[in-house]
Amino acid sequence: MGFLNIEFLVASAVGLLTAAGIYLILRRRTFPVILGLSLLTYGVNIFLFATGRLMVDAPPILNKYAEVPYTDPLPQALVLTAIVISFGMTAVVVMIALAAYLSARDDKIDMPHHPEDEGEDA
Amino acid sequence: MSLFLIAALPFLGAVFPALLIRAGRNASASAAGLTSFLAFVGLMLHAPAIFRGEVIQVGVDWLPALGLNANFFLDGLGFLFASMILGIGLLIILYARFYLSREDPMGQFYTYLLLFQGAMVGIVLSDNILLLLVFWELTSLSSFLLIGYWKHLPEGRQGARMALAVTGSGGLAMIGGMMILGNIAGSYDLSVILQNKDLIQASPLYLPALILILLGCFTKSAQFPFHFWLPHAMAAPTPVSAYLHSATMVKAGLFLMARLWPVLAGTPEWFYIVATTGLVTMTLGAVIALFKDDLKSLLAFSTVSHLGLITMLLGFGTKIAAVTAVFHIINHATFKAALFMSAGIVDHEAHTRDIKRLGGLRHLMPVTATIAIVAALSMAGVPPFNGFLSKEMMLEETVHTLWGGSHYVVPGLALLAALFSAAYSFRFIGHVFLGPIRNDYPAKPHDPGFGMWAGPAFLVTLVVLIGLFSAKLAGPLVAVAAGAVIGGAELPYYSLKLWHGLTPALYMSGVAVVGGLLLVKLHAPLIRAWNAAPRPEAKQIFDALMRGLTKLSQLITDGLHNGAITRYAFVMMLFIIGISYYAYASGTITAPTREVQSVGPITVIAWFCLIVATLAVVAKHRQRQLSLVLIGVVGLVVSLGFNYLSAPDLALTQLSVEVVTMVLLLLALNFMPKDSPIEAPMWVRLRDGGIAVVGGLGAAALIYALMLRDFALPSISEFHLANSYKGGGGTNVVNVILVDFRGYDTFGEIIVLGIAALVIYALTEAVLGSRVRAYLLNRKPDMPQDGDAHPMMMVVATRVMMPLALMVAAYIFFRGHNLPGGGFIAGLIAAIALLMQYMASGFSWASERQRMFYHGTIGSGVLIAAATGLGSWFSGSPFLTSAFGYLHWSPLEEFEWATAALFDLGVFLAVVGAVLLALESLARFAWQPGMSSEHAMDINPARDDAAEAAEAKGEA
C-alpha cells in the first residue's frame, strides 16, 4: 500500500478534521458549531505542527551525550500555546452559548434582526 | 515659558479638576483657574518679544517621515488668539464656578473646558498644519462634550451631535485641503508654506485646496449655509456659549483664514468665495437675530453675523481690511463674551431667557443691566465704545469694494446688516432691561454675587477703554497681529480713533442707528410678518438629511450584517477557499525534495480510529452527548499522534486540555438541549458538505505538499536548538522557547487566558443576576439523575489521588525545563486534581474547603511572571532576559535553577486559576438550594453504623 506513509496519514487527518470542522461550523445551533470549532482547532494545530516536518523518535530534548537528530521545536512551542489558548476560546464560546440559551431559551446561532429595536435617541 | 509647556499645560491640568472635585467645588475650580493662569502668565512672558516683532519658534521632529513635526511658533496673530483663549478662559472659569448648580458635575465641566482650551491653544500655536489638524479635531471633540454637558437635555444632545456632525465633516474636508496645500508647498510647516504664495496660487490645485480648507473654516466659524449649528449649540450651559461661541472655537475658522491669508488671499476666487459668504452670513444673521426671542438665540445669530463680518473683511484681501478684521476680532470677543455672560446671569436669576417675559430689569439688577447695556451699545456700533470703531472701519472698507462691477452691492448689504445689528442690540437693551418692572417673572431677579459679574464687568471695562483710548490700548496688539496676518508686509496707514471726520462710513453708521431704533419701535408688526412668512428651517433640513444618511447606512449594514452568523461563516469559508485557489493558481510549485516515511500497523490503526471518530462526530452531531464522546476519541488520538511524532510536550498538553474541555462541555450540555433538530434543507446540507470537502481537500493537499519539501528559507529553529542550553539553561527546547526565547508571547498568552476566565466569570455573574436564575432554580432536570451523586468509591479515590496528582504536577513542573513538562502542563494537571474534588464530592463541599480565590491566583501568576521579567532590568538586561546558575545545597545534589522557572511558576498559577475559575463559574449554574450537605458522600456505611450504634445505645 503505497499511500501508507506518515505524511499521507497526517495530511488526510488534517483534511478530514478541517472538512468536518467546516461542515459543523455551518450548522445552525450553537453546540454543533462548538464541536466544529474544536475539530477545526485540531486540524489547524496539526497543520501548524506539521509545518515543522515530521520526525519519529527525535524529540527536541537536548542529549548531552550523543549527537542525535532533533525535530523542529518551534512549531511545537507555537502549537502548545495554541492548544491552551484554544481551550480559553472554547470556554468563552461555550459560556456565551450557554448564557444565550438560558436567556433566550433558544440555541439558534442566527440572530433575528429587529430594526425597530434600534430606536432613535431623541 | 516654552511654547510646548503653554500648549501642554491645559491638557496636563485637565486631570486635576476631575480629581479634586472630591475636595469641593472651589478646589476643582481653583485647579482649573490656576492651570489657565499659569499658561497665561507663560504666554505673557513672551509679550515683550512679540511686541518687538519677533517670532518665537520651538520644535521637535515627531514623525518626520510623514512631515508631521511637533513645531510650535508664536507670532502676533498667535499671541492675540492665545491671550484671548487663556484670558477669557480665566474669566469663564470664574464665572462657571458660580453659574453651575450643585447638581452639575463640575469636575467634569472643568476637565472638558481645559481639554478644549488646550486644543485651541494648540491650534493657534501650531507651526505644522498636520499638528494643527490634530488640534482642530480635538476642538470638535471637546466642544461636543461641552455642548452636550447637560446630558439630560435632549436639546443639548441634539445640539452637540449637530455641531459635531457639521464641524467634524468640515474638518474632514480641511484635512484634504491641508494635504494638497502641503503637497504644493513641499512641506507641512506653516513657516515654509507662508513663504510660497506664488507657487501655491499658480498651482492648478489651488482652487480645490482653497475650497476644502474654506469648508473647514466656514463650518467651524458658522458661515452660511453652515451657520445653523451655532444657535442649536446654545443648549450648552452659558459659560460654554460665552467661551466657545463668542471668543474661541467659532473664531478658529477666522484664525485659520487669517493665518493662511498671506498665501491664499488676493485672488478673485478668494474674494468671491470668502467675501460673498461673509457678506451673506453677516446680513442674514443680523436679520434673523432681530426676530429671536430667546436671549441666547439672539446672541447666537448676532455672533453668526459678526463672524460673517470678519470673514468678509478677510475676504476683501486688502491689507487695511485685514487690519480691520483683527481689530474687530478683539472687539467682538470683549463685548460678545460679556453679553453672553450677562444673558446667563439674567437666565440664572430670572429663570427665563425669553425676551417676551422680561423687561424692566434695569431696576432690579442694576449692575448686570449696566454691563449688558454698555456691551450691547458697543455691539450696535454706538460711540464711544469699541464696537463702533471697528464697525466704522468696516463700513469704510465696503465703500471701496467693487462686487461684480457694482459699487453698491457690498456697502448696501453691509448697511442693511449694520441697521439690523443696531436694531437687535437696541431690542436686547430695550425689551430686557428698560421698560416698567413686571410682576410675572418666573423668579425674583436680583444682581448676582461679585464672582459672577466680575468677568463681564472686566470685559466691559475693556470695551469702554478700548473705545476711548484705542490707539494706546489696542494699537500695538492690532499692529503685531495684523502684521502677522498680512505676512510681514508693511502695515498700511490706518488710525484707530473715534473721529475720522464726516466720512461716508459715519453717515452709514448714523443711518444704521436711526434705522435700528425705528425697527425696534416697529418690532411688534414686523415679527408678526416674519412669523407669517414661510422660510426654510435649517434643523428640519439637517434632520432629514441625517435621517436619509442613517437609512442608507442602515440599509448597507443590514444588508451585509443581518445577524445570520451562519451566512457570515459561509461567506468567510468561500472567501478563504477562493483566495487560496488564487494563490495556488498564480504561484508555482517545485518538485518534492523529501522522502515519505513508512509507518507500522499500530499507527495505521490509530489513524483509522481518528478517521472513523471524526466521521462519526459529523454523522452523529445531532446526538450531542454521543458526539462529545466521539470528539474525545479524536482528541485522544491527536495526543497519541503528537507523542508518536516527537512532541511529548504537545501530547501532555493536549491530553490534559482534553480532560478539562470535556468536563466543560459536559457541564454546559447539562443545561442545553441534548439533540439538535434538522433545520437546514437537504440542498443546504449538500452545499455545506461540498464547501467542507473542498476546504478539507485544500488543507490536506497544502500540508502534504509542504511536508514533502524542505524549507524555502533557513529556519530559525537551528538557533533555538543551539542556544537552548547555552543561553537558556535548559535541554527541553520547547519549554525554553516558551519561557525564555518567546517569553514575551507567553506572558501575553497567560494574560489572555486570565482575561478569558474573567470574562466567563463576569458572564456568569451577569446571567445569574438576571431572570435566568429563577428559571434555573425551578428547572427540572431533563434527564434521569443518578441516585448517588457522590459515590463513595469516587470520593475516596479522588481524595487519595489528590496529593498524588499534585505531586505529579510538581514533578512535571520542576522537570519542565529539561524534560517534557513545564508550567502549562503542570497547571493543567493541578487544575484537574482540584477539579476531581468538585466532581466527586460536589460543588458545595469543595467550595467550602476552597482556600484560595481563583481571581487572585490568576493575578498572582501574571504578576509573578511580570516581576520575573522586570527583575532582568536590575542586571541591565531587557525585559524577560533569563539568568540561570547551579546551586549546591547539601544534602541535595547540585541542581540547576533558572529565573525562567520563576516565570514558569507564574504561567502555572495563571493556568490553574484560569481553568478553575472558568469551570467553577459554569458549575455555579447547577447550584440549587439545599444541595449543600455536611457530608461529602450521600451514602456512607460508616455513618449508618454510627447511627445504628447511637440508636442501639438509645434503646439500651
Side-chain angles (χ1 to χ4, degrees):
Chain A
M1 295 222 280
F3 67 87
L4 278 186
N5 54 66
I6 303 179
E7 279 75 15
F8 175 79
L9 296 189
V10 169
S12 57
V14 168
L16 185 66
L17 287 168
T18 309
I22 294 177
Y23 181 76
L24 289 181
I25 281 175
L26 296 175
R27 298 305 91 207
R28 296 184 182 181
R29 298 279 173 159
T30 51
F31 204 79
V33 172
I34 294 170
L35 291 181
L37 273 176
S38 298
L39 288 181
L40 196 61
T41 306
Y42 291 134
V44 170
N45 284 345
I46 301 174
F47 186 103
L48 271 181
F49 171 71
T51 57
R53 314 302 188 258
L54 305 177
M55 280 171 97
V56 180
D57 287 338
I61 310 291
L62 299 181
N63 190 328
K64 295 182 198 170
Y65 310 106
E67 282 289 315
V68 292
Y70 302 113
T71 187
D72 195 340
L74 200 59
Q76 293 197 16
L78 287 178
V79 171
L80 200 151
T81 53
I83 293 171
V84 179
I85 280 290
S86 63
F87 162 72
M89 184 197 70
T90 309
V92 172
V93 172
V94 166
M95 184 67 221
I96 292 172
L98 179 62
Y101 173 71
L102 289 176
S103 306
R105 244 28 76 63
D106 176 20
D107 65 346
K108 285 202 181 83
I109 194 165
D110 290 348
M111 291 175 288
H113 191 68
H114 300 298
E116 63 271 18
D117 288 353
E118 296 147 23
E120 243 180 277
D121 168 20
Chain B
M1 196 186 284
S2 162
L3 296 184
F4 283 127
L5 195 56
I6 296 174
L9 256 177
F11 290 112
L12 297 176
V15 186
F16 295 108
L19 290 179
L20 286 175
I21 191 66
R22 284 164 201 276
R25 306 199 298 162
N26 283 334
S28 184
S30 313
L34 201 65
T35 308
S36 291
F37 183 70
L38 271 179
F40 186 70
V41 169
L43 182 75
M44 284 306 139
L45 293 178
H46 291 299
I50 295 298
F51 284 116
R52 281 196 303 271
E54 293 169 23
V55 174
I56 296 143
Q57 275 184 306
V58 289
V60 287
D61 285 356
W62 182 12
L63 296 170
L66 292 178
L68 174 54
N69 301 322
N71 292 355
F72 291 97
F73 83 128
L74 184 66
D75 62 354
L77 184 66
F79 180 78
L80 165 67
F81 271 88
S83 47
M84 280 194 327
I85 292 159
L86 293 169
I88 296 184
L90 266 174
L91 301 179
I92 296 291
I93 288 168
L94 172 70
Y95 177 78
R97 162 65 189 85
F98 298 97
Y99 180 86
L100 293 178
S101 72
R102 287 198 173 278
E103 288 79 52
D104 297 323
M106 189 179 269
Q108 235 175 58
F109 179 83
Y110 282 124
T111 294
Y112 294 164
L113 197 78
L114 285 180
L115 285 180
F116 172 78
Q117 193 178 57
M120 279 307 297
V121 172
I123 289 182
V124 301
L125 295 187
S126 293
D127 184 13
N128 184 290
I129 51 177
L130 297 181
L131 188 68
L132 190 147
L133 284 172
V134 173
F135 287 118
W136 187 274
E137 296 300 327
L138 273 179
T139 60
S140 292
L141 291 177
S142 52
S143 72
F144 171 79
L145 293 173
L146 282 169
I147 297 171
Y149 174 70
W150 280 331
K151 300 182 191 74
H152 55 279
L153 296 181
E155 299 85 32
R157 299 198 300 268
Q158 287 166 359
R161 274 209 303 267
M162 187 191 274
L164 186 68
V166 176
T167 59
S169 38
L172 281 181
M174 205 173 76
I175 291 176
M178 291 295 201
M179 293 289 169
I180 299 176
L181 193 64
N183 265 340
I184 300 174
S187 165
Y188 290 112
D189 284 341
L190 266 173
S191 33
V192 177
I193 292 172
L194 293 181
Q195 306 300 323
N196 285 307
K197 176 180 179 173
D198 297 332
L199 184 68
I200 288 166
Q201 297 198 349
S203 163
L205 288 173
Y206 165 72
L207 190 61
L210 178 69
I211 291 174
L212 288 173
I213 291 174
L214 286 178
L215 271 176
C217 296
F218 288 172
T219 49
K220 201 80 158 184
S221 285
Q223 296 298 297
F224 178 83
F226 309 112
H227 61 286
F228 57 90
W229 70 263
L230 185 58
H232 289 286
M234 289 299 137
T238 303
V240 174
S241 312
Y243 195 35
L244 271 64
H245 307 131
S246 71
T248 55
M249 187 176 90
V250 292
K251 296 245 168 79
L254 303 180
F255 168 79
L256 200 67
M257 284 189 266
R259 179 51 92 207
L260 295 174
W261 194 90
V263 285
L264 295 181
T267 60
E269 294 95 328
W270 170 272
F271 173 77
Y272 279 107
I273 298 176
V274 180
T276 313
T277 307
L279 188 62
V280 171
T281 311
M282 170 172 77
T283 317
L284 203 71
V287 172
I288 298 175
L290 181 61
F291 300 106
K292 288 292 166 188
D293 286 329
D294 178 12
L295 277 180
K296 280 176 77 178
S297 260
L298 184 153
L299 291 176
F301 276 103
S302 142
T303 305
V304 167
S305 165
H306 280 270
L307 294 170
L309 186 160
I310 299 166
T311 304
M312 177 187 77
L313 283 171
L314 290 170
F316 285 167
T318 59
K319 289 173 187 169
I320 182 82
V323 173
T324 312
V326 168
F327 191 33
H328 196 69
I329 286 173
I330 301 174
N331 296 337
H332 178 249
T334 51
F335 67 68
K336 191 52 67 64
L339 280 171
F340 264 117
M341 289 198 251
S342 315
I345 292 173
V346 169
D347 187 17
H348 199 258
E349 304 303 336
H351 291 200
T352 181
R353 304 194 306 245
D354 191 345
I355 297 179
K356 283 184 295 201
R357 303 197 58 186
L358 294 166
L361 292 183
R362 175 175 51 115
H363 308 286
L364 297 170
M365 32 202 322
V367 178
T368 314
T370 314
I371 293 168
I373 289 171
V374 172
L377 286 176
S378 176
M379 175 161 78
V382 172
F385 306 115
N386 61 359
F388 167 76
L389 292 172
S390 45
K391 190 167 267 185
E392 185 96 330
M393 287 166 76
M394 178 275 286
L395 290 171
E396 180 73 33
E397 284 318 301
T398 60
V399 175
H400 304 299
T401 307
L402 269 173
W403 195 93
S406 161
H407 278 290
Y408 298 104
V409 175
V410 180
L413 281 173
L415 178 60
L416 187 69
L419 202 149
F420 272 90
S421 171
Y424 66 68
S425 305
F426 294 145
R427 178 163 183 245
F428 183 89
I429 298 169
H431 291 185
V432 177
F433 295 101
L434 306 183
I437 298 180
R438 301 167 61 148
N439 48 15
D440 58 346
Y441 305 115
K444 184 106 185 83
H446 56 84
D447 268 323
F450 172 74
M452 216 157 160
W453 61 258
F458 176 77
L459 289 171
V460 159
T461 315
L462 284 183
V463 165
V464 178
L465 292 178
I466 294 177
L468 294 175
F469 311 106
S470 48
K472 276 218 179 61
L473 271 174
L477 191 56
V478 171
V480 288
V485 173
I486 60 178
E490 203 172 315
L491 281 172
Y493 171 77
Y494 65 93
S495 77
L496 308 177
K497 57 182 182 185
L498 284 169
W499 181 250
H500 286 273
L502 291 172
T503 56
L506 188 67
Y507 295 125
M508 285 163 85
S509 279
V511 172
V513 169
V514 174
L517 282 172
L518 251 164
L519 279 182
V520 176
K521 277 273 170 238
L522 296 172
H523 191 261
L526 276 175
I527 197 153
R528 272 198 296 278
W530 174 263
N531 286 337
R535 54 182 188 279
E537 190 61 55
K539 185 172 187 317
Q540 282 164 11
I541 299 171
F542 176 80
D543 285 347
L545 194 68
M546 282 292 141
R547 267 198 301 278
L549 285 174
T550 315
K551 264 258 156 53
L552 183 69
S553 40
Q554 238 166 20
L555 263 176
I556 296 172
T557 317
D558 291 350
L560 292 175
H561 290 252
N562 61 352
I565 294 175
T566 311
R567 201 180 75 174
Y568 306 168
F570 182 74
V571 171
M572 198 173 78
M573 291 301 165
L574 270 188
F575 179 74
I576 293 173
I577 290 171
I579 206 160
S580 309
Y581 177 75
Y582 172 75
Y584 171 72
S586 61
T588 53
I589 187 158
T590 55
T593 54
R594 290 169 73 102
E595 290 293 312
V596 293
Q597 302 168 64
S598 60
V599 284
I602 296 178
T603 316
V604 178
I605 292 170
W607 172 79
F608 189 69
C609 286
L610 179 91
I611 300 295
V612 171
T614 311
L615 288 172
V617 172
V618 177
K620 297 288 173 192
H621 76 268
R622 298 189 197 290
Q623 301 170 38
R624 296 179 174 185
Q625 276 174 323
L626 179 59
S627 57
L628 265 189
V629 174
L630 290 166
I631 210 168
V633 175
V634 175
L636 200 64
V637 178
V638 170
S639 336
L640 288 176
F642 281 139
N643 192 43
Y644 175 66
L645 294 168
S646 315
D649 282 285
L650 291 190
L652 285 170
T653 314
Q654 184 74 61
L655 201 61
S656 37
V657 162
E658 212 54 49
V659 174
V660 183
T661 310
M662 281 305 133
V663 175
L664 179 95
L665 286 170
L666 278 171
L667 270 175
L669 191 56
N670 185 21
F671 301 98
M672 295 176 78
K674 306 296 178 286
D675 302 292
S676 309
I678 300 180
E679 278 174 322
M682 184 48 104
W683 71 269
V684 171
R685 280 179 281 154
L686 282 177
R687 180 198 69 183
D688 295 347
I691 292 274
V693 167
V694 172
L697 279 177
L702 178 61
I703 195 62
Y704 191 65
L706 204 64
M707 282 188 291
L708 290 187
R709 281 157 187 84
D710 285 307
F711 291 109
L713 298 168
S715 160
I716 55 168
S717 301
E718 292 310 316
F719 169 84
H720 291 135
L721 284 168
N723 287 288
S724 172
Y725 189 68
K726 272 190 292 182
T731 54
N732 181 1
V733 186
V734 174
N735 183 267
V736 175
I737 292 176
L738 285 176
V739 298
D740 194 335
F741 293 127
R742 309 294 307 163
Y744 216 178
D745 294 356
T746 310
F747 183 56
E749 185 188 345
I750 58 174
I751 292 174
V752 171
L753 200 63
I755 291 172
L758 290 177
V759 166
I760 291 169
Y761 175 78
L763 268 173
T764 307
E765 285 288 303
V767 171
L768 288 184
S770 70
R771 61 196 163 79
V772 168
R773 178 159 205 113
Y775 165 78
L776 283 172
L777 290 179
N778 297 318
R779 178 177 171 275
K780 296 272 171 288
D782 53 355
M783 294 186 70
Q785 300 289 294
D786 195 341
D788 187 1
H790 309 298
M792 182 174 66
M793 288 288 280
M794 196 162 151
V795 172
V796 173
T798 51
R799 262 183 241 172
V800 173
M801 292 264 290
M802 167 103 164
L804 289 178
L806 289 179
M807 196 62 194
V808 170
Y811 172 66
I812 290 281
F813 175 79
F814 282 115
R815 72 175 210 157
H817 214 45
N818 293 313
L819 290 167
F824 277 117
I825 302 163
L828 287 163
I829 293 172
I832 293 168
L834 293 170
L835 219 54
M836 288 193 308
Q837 310 307 313
Y838 280 94
M839 287 164 61
S841 306
F843 180 75
S844 312
W845 187 87
S847 306
E848 277 165 26
R849 282 152 189 82
Q850 175 197 337
R851 292 282 177 276
M852 56 184 183
F853 290 97
Y854 300 131
H855 304 72
T857 317
I858 300 174
S860 57
V862 171
L863 286 179
I864 287 175
T868 315
L870 293 178
S872 56
W873 283 355
F874 291 104
S875 59
S877 317
F879 188 63
L880 277 174
T881 311
S882 77
F884 64 97
Y886 296 90
L887 283 182
H888 189 84
W889 288 346
S890 57
L892 295 178
E893 270 189 77
E894 184 184 71
F895 67 94
E896 184 217 351
W897 67 276
T899 55
L902 207 57
F903 181 78
D904 223 8
L905 177 67
V907 174
F908 170 83
L909 287 174
V911 170
V912 172
V915 170
L916 286 174
L917 184 61
L919 287 165
E920 190 209 23
S921 302
L922 267 170
R924 281 168 54 202
F925 281 86
W927 185 85
Q928 298 256 355
M931 262 176 71
S932 89
S933 150
E934 56 181 308
H935 305 295
M937 288 164 274
D938 298 336
I939 301 165
N940 186 344
R943 207 155 64 222
D944 295 344
D945 292 346
E948 253 169 47
E951 221 168 287
K953 221 176 210 173
E955 275 173 19

